[in-house]
Amino acid sequence: MKFTMNASVYQLLKHPVARDVTNALLRQTNKSPKQIYNPAIGVMRLAAAEALGTQFGATGAVTALLNLVNLSTDILIPPCGQLEKLWWRDAVIYQIYPRSFQDTNGDGIGDIPGIRSRLDYLKDLGVDAIWLSPIYASPQVDNGYDVQDYKAIDPQYGTMADVEGLIGDLHSRGMKLIMDLVFNHTSDQHAWFQSDLHDPNSPYHDFYIWRKGTPDAPPNNWTSFFGGSAWKYYPERGWNLHLFAPEQPDLNWENPNVREALYEITRFWRDKGVDGFRLDVINYISKVENLPNGNTALGSFLPSLGMEHYFYGPRLHEFLREFRAKGIGDAFTVGETAGFGREINRLTTSPSRLELSQVFSFDHLETPGHTRYSDYLYDLAEAKDIFVQWMNDVEGGIWDALFWENHDNPRMVSKVSSNPEWRTPLAKLLNLWLLSLRGTTYLYQGQELGLPNAIFSSIEELRDLESINVYHRLLPTVGAAAALRAVQCSSRDHARLPMPWTTAGGFTTGTPWIKLHQDTESLNVATQQADTESVWQFTKDAIALRHAHPALVFGTFKAEMPKDRSSFCFYRTLGEECLYIEMNLTAQTITPPKGPRDAQLTLCNYQDAKNLLRPYECRVWTL
């Protein structure tokens, strides 16, 4: 069904994509859903809503939403029936940022031999699989997310033989390997791009997105996620699209030769024994035909101007199904899909649709009205609301990716509280949160130690291209101190500091590529392994508990007092097995909801259990 301006708001909001976009905008602007989901607005025709939006500075916003919805015709979700108990559903997956995990040759950069040397550590922790950020040959403009050769290993990380050895080492321990595939864009040093740029008769002609024009007039107003225009001019061919750095040109997925080349790369790695793939910004691969200008009203709420024309493009589902049929096969996939809401997640991951296994949803990482570079403290009650919705929403077979941290986000402990007094109980609570809910748990390196954010004293200490660009964009208007404070809030470098193995660091014998954490005295593996009350020990115990009790993964979910803002308490039940989890979401002592009477305390992040819940206290009871 195609919608016109004669349709009502109520009719449009029946469409899942319209609901997702509307809910995201309401959340971003910190508006109540009642402002849209009410009879007075619901009966309004879209034409009237457009006129009303114009009065409030949102010219064309309703038209932009209407166009997006009318591109989205593939919205059927057949019943999925009984979910298969595939290996990844109850797995604990540990993300490694190779550059910062373990260096073995003293060059200050982590490497594959370093990862191999730490596999017993991960196995002991209880990890089932590791996900590696990119290790391919790269100029390292964006720390490996600018790939120059997908079938070669960057020499700073090691060799192909090292990777083959890593795969064998993992499999011999009963563990899996997930590799990062960066298929929305490549490096501008990739042979495909260089040939497409310079050779009119190239077999890689139109592997990238080009437009004619004069050097002073980009084809549209789209902006890059790293700042500035999303277009770079080349005298040889004209304008080239890059949604990220200028050195990261977007691939042209409309070209079937591009798709087949990427599928062949995927088959190459599957043949090596790789068990699954994390697909970087995979939802950006389909762009709206003719690449129209972005709506400026929507652009003020979105991370990038023009994003509505590619975050959920018209051929996305088609491309994903073809990718699975010709490249991925039955391997596990998790897509990075910024901008997706619950409805689109379902359309992308329902088992019957044969697209992706699961996606990373980012709804829970920011509270209403904030972005990643906002200076604020995160409210765990907001996260509770979202996770309760997720746990109660299993229609279509959606299987959530449970995570707080990754290589692109700051440390969650620091987002919630700046008080070091609560660091240990809070870190334990956050890890138990992920390990006690339905879905696949992802831990990022150092999260098992409760690592907080770093302290950067100057811009020279940062290495992240995005952070440096944000700093220089703010510098002329706010000055150096304020610009550094803004970057300090959420720089990607917080998560990229070297893994602290010992009190002295233990990452490298040389000079690390980025500064060490400011506090490795207690926040290191060796110290925490020797401490029975450490975050590391608690996380290990929580992982073991999850592995021992299928109810924590596959069981039903029932929240106690779901509207309470100070606690998150719930039952997980599977057959005769039942566990009760209670968490204090605040830095105050609270009276918990009345829990089960006959239960045994199984896990607690304090040394003993009392009647009251102390700041950030969490407990697991077995009935």
Side-chain angles (χ1 to χ4, degrees):
M1 172 184 175
K2 295 287 187 180
F3 292 91
T4 69
M5 280 294 185
N6 288 324
S8 68
V9 172
Y10 174 76
Q11 289 172 320
L12 184 67
L13 290 177
K14 285 185 175 181
H15 194 287
V17 176
R19 286 198 299 275
D20 264 2
V21 174
T22 300
N23 291 339
L25 290 174
L26 287 170
R27 180 173 172 80
Q28 180 63 31
T29 55
N30 203 15
K31 304 293 185 184
S32 169
K34 293 180 181 179
Q35 293 188 261
I36 299 294
Y37 294 94
N38 68 71
I41 297 296
V43 298
M44 184 181 294
R45 297 295 171 187
L46 296 181
E50 179 78 298
L52 183 64
T54 299
Q55 293 181 29
F56 289 94
T59 303
V62 173
T63 297
L65 177 59
L66 188 67
N67 291 339
L68 177 63
V69 167
N70 281 335
L71 289 172
S72 309
T73 57
D74 188 1
I75 59 171
L76 295 177
I77 304 177
C80 67
Q82 186 71 26
L83 285 179
E84 291 184 76
K85 289 192 176 181
L86 302 170
W87 70 264
W88 51 268
R89 293 194 189 280
D90 59 350
V92 175
I93 299 175
Y94 186 98
Q95 184 190 356
I96 290 176
Y97 196 68
R99 194 174 185 84
S100 299
F101 193 62
Q102 179 67 74
D103 173 32
T104 59
N105 61 8
D107 66 354
I109 297 172
D111 46 45
I112 304 302
I115 296 171
R116 295 179 68 181
S117 73
R118 297 294 185 178
L119 291 185
D120 287 339
Y121 164 79
L122 297 173
K123 181 68 175 178
D124 181 48
L125 184 62
V127 168
D128 300 296
I130 64 171
W131 150 30
L132 294 186
S133 288
I135 53 174
Y136 314 106
S138 166
Q140 301 295 326
V141 170
D142 189 23
N143 285 353
Y145 283 89
D146 49 320
V147 179
Q148 184 173 353
D149 187 342
Y150 292 99
K151 294 183 181 180
I153 305 303
D154 197 293
Q156 67 183 354
Y157 296 132
T159 65
M160 185 64 75
D162 291 328
V163 177
E164 291 167 347
L166 173 64
I167 295 170
D169 290 348
L170 284 165
H171 289 172
S172 70
R173 289 168 171 80
M175 300 168 72
K176 310 283 188 182
L177 176 63
I178 297 166
M179 288 186 68
D180 226 311
L181 290 181
V182 189
F183 279 178
N184 175 72
H185 48 265
T186 72
S187 165
D188 62 355
Q189 299 306 303
H190 197 293
W192 296 347
F193 184 81
Q194 290 298 313
S195 181
D196 193 9
L197 173 63
H198 296 293
D199 183 2
N201 300 313
S202 168
Y204 306 112
H205 183 69
D206 283 345
F207 261 46
Y208 298 85
I209 299 172
W210 301 96
R211 291 294 184 269
K212 300 293 186 183
T214 58
D216 58 344
N220 64 30
N221 65 354
W222 294 8
T223 55
S224 159
F225 287 98
F226 288 174
S229 173
W231 295 91
K232 179 178 179 179
Y233 186 79
Y234 292 85
E236 299 92 333
R237 287 215 56 182
W239 289 98
N240 175 256
L241 179 67
H242 60 88
L243 295 181
F244 295 90
E247 297 87 354
Q248 293 172 292
D250 279 46
L251 285 160
N252 177 19
W253 274 69
E254 298 291 330
N255 183 340
N257 295 327
V258 170
R259 303 200 299 273
E260 180 50 42
L262 296 175
Y263 303 160
E264 192 276 328
I265 290 165
T266 309
R267 294 192 295 267
F268 170 87
W269 284 109
R270 286 180 59 204
D271 290 343
K272 293 281 186 186
V274 173
D275 302 283
F277 301 95
R278 181 261 190 184
L279 306 174
D280 185 68
V281 294
I282 193 63
N283 58 313
Y284 296 170
I285 59 178
S286 172
K287 279 82 169 174
V288 171
E289 188 178 6
N290 298 326
L291 311 182
N293 277 329
N295 178 269
T296 54
L298 288 179
S300 63
F301 301 115
L302 297 174
S304 179
L305 183 58
M307 189 176 174
E308 72 270 22
H309 296 306
Y310 57 79
F311 90 95
Y312 185 59
R315 299 186 68 186
L316 178 62
H317 292 299
E318 172 194 347
F319 289 159
L320 292 179
R321 281 193 288 270
E322 182 182 272
F323 191 7
R324 178 162 174 169
K326 296 184 177 181
I328 295 293
D330 59 0
F332 164 70
T333 52
V334 55
E336 182 192 25
T337 53
F340 276 18
R342 196 69 181 170
E343 303 283 2
I344 304 177
N345 288 353
R346 200 187 333 273
L347 290 170
T348 311
T349 64
S350 178
S352 57
R353 288 172 59 86
L354 300 177
E355 296 182 25
L356 300 179
S357 304
Q358 66 180 185
V359 298
F360 287 119
S361 174
F362 299 93
D363 290 349
H364 64 296
L365 289 188
E366 312 299 343
T367 56
H370 299 119
T371 66
R372 184 151 63 86
Y373 282 97
S374 299
D375 187 2
Y376 73 104
L377 288 178
Y378 184 91
D379 183 0
L380 284 175
E382 294 288 341
K384 171 190 172 178
D385 291 343
I386 291 174
F387 276 88
V388 168
Q389 292 173 19
W390 289 2
M391 294 303 106
N392 289 329
D393 177 16
V394 296
E395 180 187 345
I398 192 169
W399 193 262
D400 291 299
L402 309 172
F403 73 101
W404 291 121
E405 298 178 8
N406 60 28
H407 63 288
D408 281 336
N409 287 282
R411 297 293 186 175
M412 198 65 187
V413 170
S414 294
K415 285 186 67 171
V416 176
S417 175
S418 57
N419 188 342
E421 179 181 358
W422 308 127
R423 179 188 298 160
T424 294
L426 175 56
K428 293 176 180 179
L429 179 147
L430 290 170
N431 289 351
L432 178 65
W433 184 312
L434 301 180
L435 289 160
S436 58
L437 293 173
R438 179 183 186 273
T440 303
T441 299
Y442 290 81
L443 298 176
Y444 181 73
Q445 65 184 46
Q447 192 174 336
E448 73 274 27
L449 305 176
L451 287 184
N453 279 348
I455 298 174
F456 298 107
S457 58
S458 70
I459 191 63
E460 285 72 29
E461 291 186 338
L462 281 95
R463 299 291 180 269
D464 171 40
L465 178 63
E466 180 188 59
S467 301
I468 294 169
N469 286 347
V470 169
Y471 174 87
H472 287 293
R473 205 159 58 237
L474 293 173
L475 185 62
T477 55
V478 303
L484 185 62
R485 277 197 305 272
V487 170
Q488 188 86 247
C489 293
S490 291
S491 171
R492 301 192 298 181
D493 279 339
H494 286 302
R496 299 178 181 188
L497 266 58
M499 182 76 172
W501 296 101
T502 67
T503 54
F507 164 69
T508 181
T509 58
T511 302
W513 72 276
I514 191 173
K515 63 177 283 184
L516 297 176
H517 201 279
Q518 68 270 8
D519 182 8
T520 59
E521 187 63 34
S522 62
L523 296 174
N524 70 80
V525 171
T527 298
Q528 292 206 18
Q529 283 183 318
D531 179 2
T532 58
E533 299 300 322
S534 68
V535 179
W536 183 89
Q537 185 62 56
F538 180 89
T539 304
K540 179 182 177 179
D541 292 343
I543 293 173
L545 191 70
R546 183 175 180 85
H547 286 329
H549 293 279
L552 290 174
V553 184
F554 300 104
T556 59
F557 170 90
K558 180 179 180 294
E560 285 289 294
M561 297 179 64
K563 300 299 183 183
D564 180 45
R565 308 297 288 174
S566 62
S567 68
F568 186 17
C569 303
F570 52 90
Y571 291 89
R572 302 300 315 280
T573 307
L574 184 66
E576 298 297 317
E577 186 177 74
C578 182
L579 295 98
Y580 180 72
I581 294 89
E582 55 183 355
M583 296 186 280
N584 179 356
L585 306 183
T586 75
Q588 288 77 45
T589 297
I590 65 169
T591 301
K594 185 181 292 185
R597 291 174 180 244
D598 300 319
Q600 177 181 351
L601 182 64
T602 306
L603 189 64
C604 180
N605 63 345
Y606 281 75
Q607 290 187 9
D608 56 355
K610 300 182 182 297
N611 292 330
L612 301 177
L613 281 177
R614 288 155 290 192
Y616 300 114
E617 184 167 5
C618 60
R619 305 168 183 165
V620 180
W621 301 87
T622 303
L623 278 65

